[in-house]
Amino acid sequence: MRIERVADGVHLVTGTNVNWALVAEGDAVTVVDAGYPNDGSDLLASLEAIGRAPEDVQAVLLTHAHLDHMGGIPSLLAKHHVPVLTGATEVAHARRDYEEQITPVQMLRQCTHVAGITWFAQTLKAVLPHARMSVPSAAPVPFGETLDLPGSPVAVSTPGHTSGHTAYVLEAAGIVFTGDALVTAHPLLPGPPRPQLLPDVFSEDEREMVSSLRALAELPADVVVPGHGPVVRGDLDEIVRGVTAGR
Ligand SMILES: [Zn+2]
């Protein structure tokens, strides 16, 4: 686990090839995403590392219900029950009324090079034995409204990676949590970190992802905290144009 301060009260935590974020205001904390199932103990440790406890968490904002983003939630709920909020469509995904996730066969097909084999092994270890988990208590978050939570986040509908993918913006701080709608690195992406989309195999609808990127470009933010890879700072419109060029 690695913790990086992004801004006052805002921390990016990197677990097993995936990020989550902690937004503290006074004692209270908003958690954005939660890592893999096996990152659950690190999620709790990250709260402790910034001087907070599970009881200080007001809500978990989930970008989407893939196992690498919601896996740590049960570990937190076991300590302290908090609301888990995400876009209305993604709520059904978090409850596993339906599933949009890379299949074991698709995962195996990534094992054609060393990076793919390493990723496959790390992912299996991070997921098992909780690959069938769900979050039955997930509830819908309204889009476009300032939420009464630490950081005053606003949920933004960003479908494509999953049907109900949801980003969150902290308007006053100029920070957007893009989840997997926009990432900067991943073990299966070649080259140095840069704003980009995840490989196709992870996403439901790439055309919809590109439309969602254009929605992200409109947001009042100049700090991107992605679901995978390092933070990127700069003009959001320019960052998005770099990713959508040629698409
Ligand atoms: Zn992811």
Side-chain angles (χ1 to χ4, degrees):
M1 174 182 74
R2 205 183 63 239
I3 304 184
E4 178 195 339
R5 181 188 169 279
V6 177
D8 264 357
V10 181
H11 289 85
L12 168 72
V13 189
T14 304
T16 311
N17 297 328
V18 69
N19 299 331
W20 61 89
L22 307 174
V23 180
E25 203 178 296
D27 285 341
V29 182
T30 302
V31 174
V32 183
D33 284 346
Y36 277 104
N38 278 10
D39 289 321
S41 53
D42 275 351
L43 174 64
L44 299 176
S46 67
L47 284 166
E48 200 183 323
I50 66 157
R52 304 299 192 286
E55 295 72 28
D56 298 324
V57 176
Q58 306 299 300
V60 178
L61 299 178
L62 183 63
T63 61
H64 65 294
H66 281 163
L67 283 173
D68 53 336
H69 297 261
M70 73 166 188
I73 291 174
S75 299
L76 175 61
L77 297 186
K79 295 276 180 192
H80 178 60
H81 200 82
V82 296
V84 177
L85 305 173
T86 188
T89 302
E90 204 64 16
V91 166
H93 193 198
R95 292 174 181 166
R96 286 296 182 261
D97 296 346
Y98 69 90
E99 188 160 2
E100 296 175 337
Q101 187 145 274
I102 188 168
T103 65
V105 171
Q106 287 171 321
M107 283 180 68
L108 266 174
R109 286 200 191 118
Q110 310 308 312
C111 295
T112 54
H113 45 79
V114 174
I117 294 166
T118 306
W119 168 80
F120 179 80
Q122 288 172 338
T123 302
L124 273 192
K125 191 168 165 244
V127 163
L128 296 175
H130 301 291
R132 304 308 312 165
M133 66 153 301
S134 64
V135 179
S137 65
V141 69
F143 293 129
E145 283 177 27
T146 303
L147 304 172
D148 186 17
L149 290 172
S152 303
V154 176
V156 184
S157 178
T158 46
H161 178 68
T162 61
S163 298
H165 190 286
T166 303
Y168 301 91
V169 62
L170 309 182
E171 294 185 349
I175 296 172
V176 60
F177 302 99
T178 56
D180 288 0
L182 175 60
V183 305
T184 55
H186 186 275
L188 298 184
L189 288 169
R194 62 184 166 84
Q196 57 196 314
L197 296 182
L198 280 169
D200 264 12
V201 67
F202 292 110
S203 298
E204 284 305 301
D205 187 331
E206 193 160 313
R207 275 175 54 181
E208 215 174 20
M209 282 188 89
V210 172
S211 310
S212 289
L213 280 177
R214 298 204 170 103
L216 284 176
E218 308 282 307
L219 297 175
D222 55 9
V223 182
V224 173
V225 180
H228 301 269
V231 169
V232 60
R233 296 166 196 267
D235 181 74
L236 198 47
D237 192 49
E238 241 169 70
I239 288 171
V240 165
R241 265 189 280 132
V243 178
T244 54
R247 288 180 187 272

